[in-house]
């Protein structure tokens, strides 16, 4: 009886907890899928830039000036000293309350910075930011690609993972673990910026400590230390918002600084620390010799002019590596034969590994198709890459899926080899099965298995690999038999309560100790149920927005299933809004359009309404959302397209708007849209765009306030607006 | 004679009276009813198949949430969660028995989908381990509340949950208390607790 009662309660309770657990899991899946899908979209944006870069002659009417705005900025001819003098001249008003820096930095400066950011919520003046970055750049130039550290007799090294602009996490780590100093060395493993709102503050603090304790503070580059990623994931926006006048200059300087960050750190010759991971082709010696600063962005190979690409053709036949970099390629003599790469250190590589050279984007990406078409046009008959690989004009392309073109695999150049080494380090993820496959989830880098890890560790006599790059619920995770540790330091990454953050302390015994934490907005601890509900709500909202963004395609897919299941088109005896399809049809339709690998059946009840017979009322998943403002006289599909790409459009607008006025001219708007839509292969009527632009113009003398424009495409969740009223 | 036989002969006889034909008609009658039976069985089979198909998909979905490596295996320690999320409410002992059916001969720490699916399908079809209705749950709490106070002290509940039945881990206990204990009065108002938690089930 008492026992029986107890058992009963326990049974029921365990079941209740299981249900929370499964909600937590799929919430996590949703966040991750959307995140990685977003990162793939990112490639779309940068491939767009590449597309324009290489095809401006084909884009009728677009002025070179507009194009040049998108181009990667050429390096400022002004010398370093000249720049320093320029920064000196920037005036700081007496009324400025924030910290004032002078170089070389002292502990007083770093304390002032911490106090300013933590308590006073002040902003560092642009002049000091520029000066700080300038000094950081000078310092980083002297560093090698791979830093070697040692745990001397007493020191423990602290290793932190992704911070992503979460200043509170950094401050919490410093609070728990102490500030960096000669007695307290730190390694930060990349991804300091993007997503969170305080990326600027974080890099200021990290760089300041870097200059103050050059031997005890170490930063690795992450995949988000990349201006193209920053365009999309918020860092660029943050900088521009916080620094209206000098933002652009700060961003330019940051490009250099990011590209100068070291790629890896090795402790005691036993522990390798990189941001993403490794691949079966990772070669640390080769990596050590690369000129890392040439790779401003890991998303595209170093810019090559048409000339150099033609050079490559010649290089193919010659098969000789031109003597280039100043520090020379020590142990590398790379000779290119038809399909194989022979390296002195590692022997012949089979052609199978050349497939891991590339990454593939699943399904056909329309923009890549266009890219294929155009690049082959401009190639003057030269054999372009037709199988999955990287062409000099684009990043990651998929083959022309329908084509029967004979595949002549082009030999990858040494520049691309170098680029691949870096991409692999910054973008790869571990997996549990053996082998090394292209990371299609991310669109870059590899999935590397335990065998790859083992081989690499053995080759360089290492004990373990510490990496970051993936959010983990407990802040850290071990895999590959404990040989690979993932460390992630941004707690509540997806949502309040979604995950913990952690850091590692490593002593001379090289046995890692993990420390977890979680930043909390609320003083009273939420129960698991509450935490999961909050996170779940947020995930579901994101998912609903995703559904909304693909509304037309989804409806078309649903209707397909609707017809086929009944054999005939439902006559209007059933109201449009209440049409149904079976659950499995619904799930397969959603999966095929959104391409997100999620447990749709489990999620079904949270996203749609069910009819009495158990089938899905497929229109109900759009009911909850509606556009913030009604947009008149515009075709529905245009609205949807604009909604889907509004983030990209915002980025482009911000780039065009040189004077940061928030306004762009009608002409610029039109051209931008024309380019973008042609790249996306969405035939948008010019007249429709004009109408749209005009309707938003609101008598601003031919300029469009693009913030207002974008505001129009913000969706509002019905529940949110209900709460407001 | 049995009832059905009676009926049959009656029909035969009356038709006989009407048409004068005998064997053919009664044969047709038999065919029709047999046909009807067959159709009924086919319908049932179809709906059973549809039901099984739907159950399979539910199981697959739940399984996939925990299949981190996308290779149709899950960690054995998560199987309990999967089973419970599918609507079952087994005790730990029942769970162990079930696991014995699903595990490999040589336990690998992983459960394969091929073994999980048939066993789980049977469980769901047979409606085994049904969840406890709210009133039964409430009575269970009342049993523990020996003094009939209407609430439980945290220490009382802890004692029962950790020492009786299939004991909770410390973590489970802490989690339960964090949600169950009323922060103002520092007791467990189990009536409210049960009500709040069982809303979840629907």
């Amino acid at each position: 009886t008492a026992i029986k009662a107890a058992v009963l309660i326990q049974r029921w309770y365990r079941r209740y907890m299981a249900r929370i657990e499964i909600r937590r899991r799929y919430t996590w899946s949703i966040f991750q899928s959307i995140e990685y899908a977003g990162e793939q979209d990112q490639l779309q944006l940068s491939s767009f830039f590449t597309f324009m870069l290489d095809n401006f002659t084909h884009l009728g009417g677009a002025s070179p000036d507009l194009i040049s705005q998108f181009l990667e900025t050429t390096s400022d001819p002004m010398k370093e000293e000249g720049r320093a003098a320029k920064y000196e001249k920037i005036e700081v008003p007496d009324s400025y309350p924030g910290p004032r820096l002078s170089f070389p930095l002292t502990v007083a400066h770093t304390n002032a910075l911490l106090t300013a950011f933590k308590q006073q919520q002040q902003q560092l003046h642009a002049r000091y930011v520029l000066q700080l970055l300038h000094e950081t750049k000078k310092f980083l130039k002297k560093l090698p690609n791979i830093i070697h550290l040692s745990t001397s007799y007493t020191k423990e090294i602290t290793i932190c993972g992704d911070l992503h602009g979460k200043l509170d996490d950094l401050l919490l780590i410093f609070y728990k673990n102490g500030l960096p100093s000669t007695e307290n060395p730190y390694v930060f493993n990349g991804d300091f910026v993007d997503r969170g709102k305080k990326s600027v503050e974080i890099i200021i603090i990290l760089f300041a400590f870097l200059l103050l304790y050059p031997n005890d503070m170490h930063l690795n580059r992450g995949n988000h230390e990349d201006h193209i990623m920053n365009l999309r994931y918020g860092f660029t926006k943050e900088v521009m918002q916080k620094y209206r006048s000098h933002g652009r200059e700060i961003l330019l300087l940051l490009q250099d600084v990011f590209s100068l960050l070291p790629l890896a750190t090795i402790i005691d010759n036993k522990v390798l620390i990189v941001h993403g991971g490794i691949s079966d082709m990772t070669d640390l010696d080769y990596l050590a010799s690369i000129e890392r600063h040439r790779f401003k962005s890991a998303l595209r190979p170093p810019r090559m002019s048409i000339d150099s690409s033609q050079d490559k053709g010649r290089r193919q036949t010659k098969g000789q590596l031109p003597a280039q970099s100043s520090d020379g390629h020590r142990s590398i003599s790379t000779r290119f034969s038809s399909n194989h790469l022979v390296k002195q250190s590692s022997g012949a590589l089979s052609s199978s590994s050349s497939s891991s050279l590339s990454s593939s984007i699943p399904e056909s990406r329309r923009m890549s198709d266009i890219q294929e078409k155009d690049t082959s046009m401009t190639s003057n008959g030269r054999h372009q890459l037709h199988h999955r690989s990287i062409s000099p004009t684009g990043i990651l392309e998929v083959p022309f899926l329908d084509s029967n073109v004979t595949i002549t695999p082009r030999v990858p150049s040494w520049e691309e080899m170098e680029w691949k080494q870096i991409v692999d380090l910054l973008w790869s993820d571990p997996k549990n099965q053996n082998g090394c496959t292209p990371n299609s989830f991310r669109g870059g880098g590899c999935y590397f298995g335990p065998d790859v890890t083992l081989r690499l560790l053995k080759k360089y006599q290492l004990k373990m690999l510490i990496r970051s790059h993936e959010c983990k619920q407990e802040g850290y995770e071990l895999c590959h038999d404990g040989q690979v540790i993932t460390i992630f330091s941004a707690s509540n990454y997806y949502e309040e309560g979604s995950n913990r953050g952690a850091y590692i302390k490593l002593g001379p015994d090289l046995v890692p100790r993990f420390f977890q934490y979680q930043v909390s907005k609320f003083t009273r601890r939420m129960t698991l149920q509450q935490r999961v509900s909050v996170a779940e709500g947020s995930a579901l909202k994101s998912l609903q927005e995703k559904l909304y963004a693909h509304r037309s395609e989804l409806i078309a897919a649903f209707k397909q299933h609707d017809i086929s299941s009944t054999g005939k088109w439902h006559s209007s005896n059933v109201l449009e809004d209440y049409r149904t399809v079976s659950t499995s049809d619904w799930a397969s339709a959603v999966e095929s359009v959104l391409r997100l690998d999620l447990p749709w059946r489990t999620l079904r009840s949270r996203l749609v309404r069910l009819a009495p017979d158990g089938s899905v009322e497929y229109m109900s998943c759009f009911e909850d959302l509606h556009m913030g403002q009604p947009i008149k006289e515009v075709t529905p599909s245009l609205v949807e397209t604009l909604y889907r790409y509004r983030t990209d459009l915002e980025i482009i607008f911000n780039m065009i708007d040189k004077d940061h006025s928030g306004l762009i001219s009608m002409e610029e708007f039109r051209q931008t849209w024309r380019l973008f839509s042609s790249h996306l292969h969405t035939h948008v009527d010019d007249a429709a765009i004009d109408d749209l632009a005009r309707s938003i113009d609101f008598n601003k003398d031919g300029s469009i306030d693009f913030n207002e424009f974008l505001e129009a495409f913000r969706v509002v969740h019905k529940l949110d607006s209900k709460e407001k009223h | 004679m049995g009832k059905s036989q009676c009926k049959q002969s009656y029909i035969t006889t009356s038709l006989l009276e009407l048409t004068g034909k005998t064997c053919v008609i009664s044969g047709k009658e038999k065919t029709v009813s047999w046909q009807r039976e067959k159709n009924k069985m086919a319908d049932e089979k179809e709906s059973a198949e549809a039901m099984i198909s739907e159950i399979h998909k539910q199981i697959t979905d739940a399984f996939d949430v925990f299949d981190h490596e996308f290779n149709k295996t899950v960690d054995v320690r998560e199987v309990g969660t999967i089973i419970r999320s599918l609507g079952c409410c087994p005790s730990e002992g029942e769970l162990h028995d079930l696991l014995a059916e699903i595990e490999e001969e040589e336990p690998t720490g992983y459960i394969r989908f091929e073994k999980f699916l048939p066993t789980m399908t049977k469980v769901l079809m047979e409606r085994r381990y049904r969840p406890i209705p709210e009133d039964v749950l409430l009575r269970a709490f009342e049993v523990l509340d020996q003094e009939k106070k209407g609430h439980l002290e945290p220490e009382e509940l802890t004692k029962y949950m950790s020492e009786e039945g299939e004991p909770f881990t410390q973590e489970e206990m802490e989690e339960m208390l964090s949600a169950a204990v009323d922060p103002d009065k520092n007791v467990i108002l189990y009536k409210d607790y049960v009500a709040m938690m069982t809303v979840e089930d629907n």
Side-chain angles (χ1 to χ4, degrees):
Chain A
T1 35
I3 298 177
K4 267 174 83 178
V7 173
L8 216 64
I9 295 174
Q10 288 158 342
R11 260 176 69 184
W12 157 81
Y13 180 77
R14 287 187 168 115
R15 171 165 180 264
Y16 167 71
M17 290 306 285
R19 303 198 71 221
I20 293 189
E21 179 61 22
I22 203 165
R23 283 167 64 203
R24 191 169 85 135
R25 291 295 175 117
Y26 68 61
T27 299
W28 189 258
S29 293
I30 293 175
F31 280 132
Q32 271 204 322
S33 306
I34 294 185
E35 173 181 21
Y36 294 158
E39 281 184 2
Q40 280 186 331
D41 289 347
Q42 178 51 31
L43 296 173
Q44 159 198 315
L45 185 65
S46 47
S47 75
F48 168 54
F49 290 145
T50 316
F51 166 75
M52 296 220 296
L53 176 67
D54 301 310
N55 294 285
F56 66 87
T57 49
H58 295 270
L59 300 163
S63 66
D65 189 43
L66 183 65
I67 302 301
S68 66
Q69 288 171 5
F70 293 111
L71 295 184
E72 248 180 54
T73 50
T74 48
S75 55
D76 198 326
M78 195 192 293
K79 292 242 182 243
E80 300 292 326
E81 305 84 58
R83 285 226 205 102
K86 190 172 96 171
Y87 303 147
E88 286 282 317
K89 295 211 186 78
I90 300 175
E91 280 214 16
V92 180
D94 289 334
S95 56
Y96 165 72
R100 290 168 189 259
L101 303 180
S102 61
F103 298 86
L105 293 175
T106 66
V107 174
H109 291 123
T110 47
N111 286 338
L113 286 169
L114 286 167
T115 315
F117 295 153
K118 185 173 177 178
Q119 279 139 16
Q120 273 104 342
Q121 311 283 313
Q122 283 158 0
Q123 195 175 292
L124 186 65
H125 194 274
R127 164 180 161 160
Y128 301 124
V129 176
L130 287 165
Q131 286 180 318
L132 177 65
L133 292 176
H134 182 72
E135 293 296 315
T136 307
K137 178 177 169 180
K138 267 175 29 194
F139 171 72
L140 289 174
K141 266 190 183 166
K142 297 183 258 173
L143 297 180
N145 296 347
I146 303 179
I147 312 268
H148 289 264
L149 298 181
S150 82
T151 56
S152 54
Y153 188 63
T154 49
K155 278 191 220 175
E156 262 190 320
I157 301 183
T158 308
I159 303 159
C160 300
D162 293 23
L163 286 168
H164 280 301
K166 310 285 226 78
L167 181 64
D168 287 340
D169 288 84
L170 181 61
L171 295 175
L172 186 53
I173 295 173
F174 285 164
Y175 178 69
K176 278 184 80 151
N177 195 49
L179 295 177
S181 71
T182 46
E183 306 309 311
N184 197 10
Y186 274 85
V187 176
F188 285 91
N189 201 11
D191 278 11
F192 321 121
V193 299
D194 279 336
R195 296 187 195 277
K197 301 272 186 285
K198 303 249 174 148
S199 304
V200 172
E201 284 78 1
I202 287 196
I203 52 157
I204 291 175
I205 292 176
L206 292 179
F207 291 156
F209 276 111
L210 183 67
L211 294 175
L212 186 57
Y213 300 112
N215 297 317
D216 301 290
M217 181 76 169
H218 309 278
L219 308 176
N220 282 346
R221 187 177 184 183
N223 65 310
H224 277 263
E225 272 69 58
D226 183 326
H227 66 280
I228 297 187
M229 292 296 278
N230 300 150
L231 279 172
R232 188 181 179 87
Y233 288 101
F235 182 48
T236 307
K237 190 172 172 180
E238 185 188 329
V239 172
M240 297 299 259
Q241 278 176 345
K242 289 181 174 170
Y243 294 98
R244 297 220 155 241
S245 334
H246 291 97
R248 228 185 187 85
E249 196 164 354
I250 292 176
L251 288 168
L252 273 175
L253 195 44
L254 270 169
Q255 269 190 45
D256 293 338
V257 172
F258 283 163
S259 67
L260 281 166
L261 287 169
L263 298 167
T265 304
I266 299 183
I267 299 182
D268 289 348
N269 286 318
K270 288 267 161 250
V271 178
L272 173 63
I273 310 176
V274 293
H275 175 73
I278 54 175
S279 76
D280 56 355
M281 287 182 59
T282 296
D283 184 331
L284 295 180
D285 301 315
Y286 188 29
L287 269 164
S289 68
I290 295 175
E291 281 183 330
R292 66 181 189 273
H293 70 91
R294 279 173 40 238
F295 298 88
K296 298 280 182 263
S297 166
L299 287 173
R300 32 191 301 194
R303 235 184 90 202
M304 287 166 245
S305 61
I306 309 289
D307 291 336
S308 71
S309 333
Q310 282 175 349
D311 261 3
K312 246 187 253 98
R314 259 180 271 132
R315 224 180 277 149
Q316 274 176 37
T317 48
K318 264 195 187 164
Q320 228 8 62
L321 182 68
Q324 271 253 350
S325 63
S326 45
D327 30 28
H329 297 251
R330 292 176 277 122
S331 53
I332 318 290
S333 71
T334 330
R335 224 185 311 122
F336 291 82
S337 52
S338 58
N339 218 358
H340 297 285
L341 216 57
V342 178
K343 271 211 250 160
Q344 220 174 32
S345 39
S346 49
L349 299 169
S350 63
S351 52
S352 61
S353 42
S354 67
S355 67
S356 67
L357 178 73
S358 59
S359 306
S360 59
I361 307 172
E363 324 291 317
S364 59
R365 293 262 164 188
R366 291 160 293 187
M367 54 294 306
S368 319
D369 288 352
I370 297 179
Q371 208 160 351
E372 274 285 348
K373 274 201 207 112
D374 283 322
T375 50
S376 49
M377 276 202 294
T378 56
S379 69
N380 306 323
R382 178 164 52 94
H383 277 302
Q384 274 290 352
L385 220 50
H386 284 290
H387 75 104
R388 296 169 175 187
S389 191
I390 315 135
S391 87
T393 53
I395 359 155
L396 307 148
E397 301 174 286
V398 286
F400 226 12
L401 296 175
D402 307 322
S403 76
N404 291 319
V405 174
T406 50
I407 292 171
T408 316
R410 194 175 56 82
V411 174
S413 73
W414 60 269
E415 283 159 316
E416 283 164 5
M417 287 304 299
E418 290 187 345
W419 178 54
K420 174 181 157 65
Q421 291 281 332
I422 295 182
V423 173
D424 286 344
L425 278 196
L426 265 39
W427 281 82
S428 300
D429 291 316
K431 60 167 176 166
N432 287 316
Q433 294 116 327
N434 282 335
C436 187
T437 50
N439 193 331
S440 49
F441 207 16
R442 302 253 197 191
C446 300
Y447 285 122
F448 61 99
D451 55 337
V452 179
T453 304
L454 202 57
R455 215 179 312 139
L456 187 109
L457 294 181
K458 217 165 148 194
K459 178 172 175 188
Y460 297 102
Q461 283 149 10
L462 299 166
K463 186 179 167 218
M464 69 173 119
L465 168 67
I466 298 180
R467 42 89 66 176
S468 305
H469 198 39
E470 280 180 302
C471 183
K472 298 290 176 193
Q473 281 185 323
E474 293 300 315
Y476 72 96
E477 196 175 89
L478 277 75
C479 63
H480 294 189
D481 224 5
Q483 294 180 309
V484 174
I485 301 176
T486 303
I487 185 77
F488 194 83
S489 299
S491 65
N492 305 331
Y493 180 60
Y494 291 122
E495 179 52 76
E496 180 76 21
S498 67
N499 65 289
R500 293 188 164 127
Y503 57 88
I504 299 174
K505 291 201 76 108
L506 209 58
D509 56 0
L510 298 182
V511 172
R513 294 190 297 141
F514 300 94
F515 293 82
Q516 294 169 302
Y517 54 84
Q518 198 160 12
V519 168
S520 179
K521 272 205 287 244
F522 310 108
T523 46
R524 205 177 107 197
R525 204 175 143 248
M526 287 199 284
T527 64
L528 181 62
Q529 145 83 337
Q530 288 169 317
R531 272 184 277 139
V532 171
S533 295
V534 170
E536 187 188 16
S538 173
L540 289 172
K541 265 197 194 165
S542 305
L543 200 51
Q544 279 182 319
E545 284 177 12
K546 259 247 144 62
L547 287 168
Y548 193 79
H550 292 84
R551 212 182 129 108
S552 315
E553 281 172 65
L554 282 169
I555 293 180
F558 293 148
K559 285 190 173 156
Q560 272 303 107
H561 286 289
D562 199 355
I563 302 175
S564 43
S565 64
T566 56
K568 58 177 161 76
W569 187 242
H570 256 158
S571 58
S572 52
N573 55 357
V574 180
L575 276 173
E576 176 90 23
D577 282 347
Y578 298 104
R579 299 265 249 281
T580 64
V581 287
S582 74
T583 299
S584 34
D585 285 342
W586 181 83
S588 61
V590 175
E591 181 142 355
S592 69
V593 171
L594 291 191
R595 295 183 219 127
L596 290 175
D597 193 9
L598 292 173
W600 292 108
R601 279 178 195 82
T602 315
L603 293 169
R604 175 197 59 174
S605 57
R606 316 295 291 227
L607 294 170
V608 289
R609 216 178 24 234
L610 297 179
D613 66 353
S615 57
V616 173
E617 285 181 21
Y618 54 80
M619 293 302 286
S620 59
C621 64
F622 307 118
E623 266 176 21
D624 223 23
L625 298 171
H626 60 93
M627 285 296 188
Q629 294 166 30
I631 303 168
K632 292 180 223 157
E633 302 162 30
V634 168
T635 56
S637 64
L638 175 60
V639 173
E640 187 179 316
T641 311
L642 286 170
Y643 173 69
R644 206 189 299 183
Y645 297 110
R646 71 196 184 293
T647 321
D648 297 340
L649 286 173
E650 182 177 0
I651 294 168
I652 295 173
F653 289 153
N654 274 310
M655 290 177 79
I656 299 178
D657 180 25
K658 278 196 169 147
D659 58 2
H660 320 298
S661 57
L663 302 172
I664 59 170
S665 74
M666 275 290 291
E667 183 54 32
E668 286 173 323
F669 175 73
R670 241 182 260 124
Q671 282 187 8
T672 309
W673 183 254
R674 224 179 276 141
L675 290 170
F676 198 63
S677 64
S678 78
H679 181 68
L680 289 176
H681 222 190
T682 60
H683 297 288
V684 174
D685 203 41
D686 259 10
I689 283 294
D690 277 1
D691 284 339
L692 176 64
R694 227 166 317 165
S695 73
I696 302 172
D697 192 12
F698 300 132
N699 203 20
K700 290 197 181 80
D701 311 316
S703 286
I704 295 179
D705 183 330
F706 60 80
N707 285 314
E708 277 197 41
F709 174 73
L710 291 170
E711 189 59 28
F713 295 97
R714 197 171 60 82
V715 288
V716 177
H717 291 263
K718 271 203 186 140
L719 287 176
D720 284 353
S721 50
K722 268 195 211 145
E723 277 162 18
K724 282 181 195 150
H725 303 313
Chain B
M1 269 195 277
K3 198 174 173 191
S4 52
Q5 280 173 302
C6 242
K7 198 174 172 195
Q8 214 168 3
S9 55
Y10 164 79
I11 293 170
T12 319
T13 323
S14 57
L15 279 171
L16 187 62
E17 281 163 13
L18 286 168
T19 61
K21 291 184 187 169
T22 54
C23 309
V24 179
I25 293 175
S26 61
K28 194 176 177 188
E29 186 59 43
K30 268 201 191 124
T31 314
V32 171
S33 59
W34 176 70
Q35 193 67 38
R36 216 179 291 142
E37 270 299 317
K38 221 176 90 167
N39 285 343
K40 201 168 126 202
M41 271 168 52
D43 277 344
E44 275 176 7
K45 186 162 175 243
E46 208 180 280
S47 57
E49 268 173 10
M51 189 164 74
I52 292 182
S53 165
E54 195 47 40
I55 286 180
H56 277 183
K57 286 178 192 152
Q58 277 178 22
I59 297 174
T60 310
D61 236 18
F63 192 88
D64 282 346
V65 175
F66 293 88
D67 178 11
H68 304 296
E69 305 170 23
F70 309 113
N71 60 354
K72 289 304 193 189
T73 66
V74 295
D75 191 317
V76 65
R77 292 164 292 183
E78 319 224 80
V79 172
T81 311
I82 303 176
I83 295 177
R84 288 180 170 121
S85 72
L86 285 165
C88 301
C89 206
S91 67
E92 289 289 294
E94 287 165 332
L95 194 58
H96 273 118
D97 293 338
L98 204 52
L99 268 173
E101 277 180 58
I102 306 175
E103 263 185 325
E104 313 287 324
E105 286 85 41
E106 307 239 348
T108 57
Y110 285 99
I111 298 293
R112 287 187 301 125
F113 185 64
E114 299 88 56
K115 282 208 139 185
F116 184 74
L117 184 64
T119 311
M120 199 61 221
T121 310
K122 246 193 346 169
V123 166
L124 287 179
M125 295 284 285
E126 295 169 11
R127 304 174 76 80
R128 264 193 258 168
Y129 316 130
R130 289 268 86 200
I132 311 157
E134 191 177 325
D135 52 341
V136 176
L137 190 56
L138 190 56
R139 255 181 283 143
F141 273 102
E142 285 169 356
V143 165
L144 295 184
D145 181 16
Q146 289 171 346
E147 297 158 28
K148 304 289 165 241
K149 302 190 293 293
H151 63 258
L152 282 170
E153 303 293 328
E155 299 78 45
E156 275 184 283
L157 186 61
T158 308
K159 188 171 84 105
Y160 282 119
M161 293 293 107
S162 321
E163 293 172 22
E164 305 282 350
E166 295 171 325
F168 273 179
T169 63
Q170 193 189 357
E171 225 182 295
E172 281 178 305
M173 200 62 242
E174 275 173 18
E175 193 53 54
M176 184 183 220
L177 287 176
S178 75
V181 175
D182 181 302
D184 302 317
K185 305 184 188 135
N186 204 32
V187 292
I188 297 155
L189 303 163
Y190 50 80
K191 230 177 175 176
D192 296 340
Y193 185 48
V194 168
M196 183 170 72
M197 296 303 172
T198 47
V199 167
E200 257 292 303
D201 271 357
N202 312 325

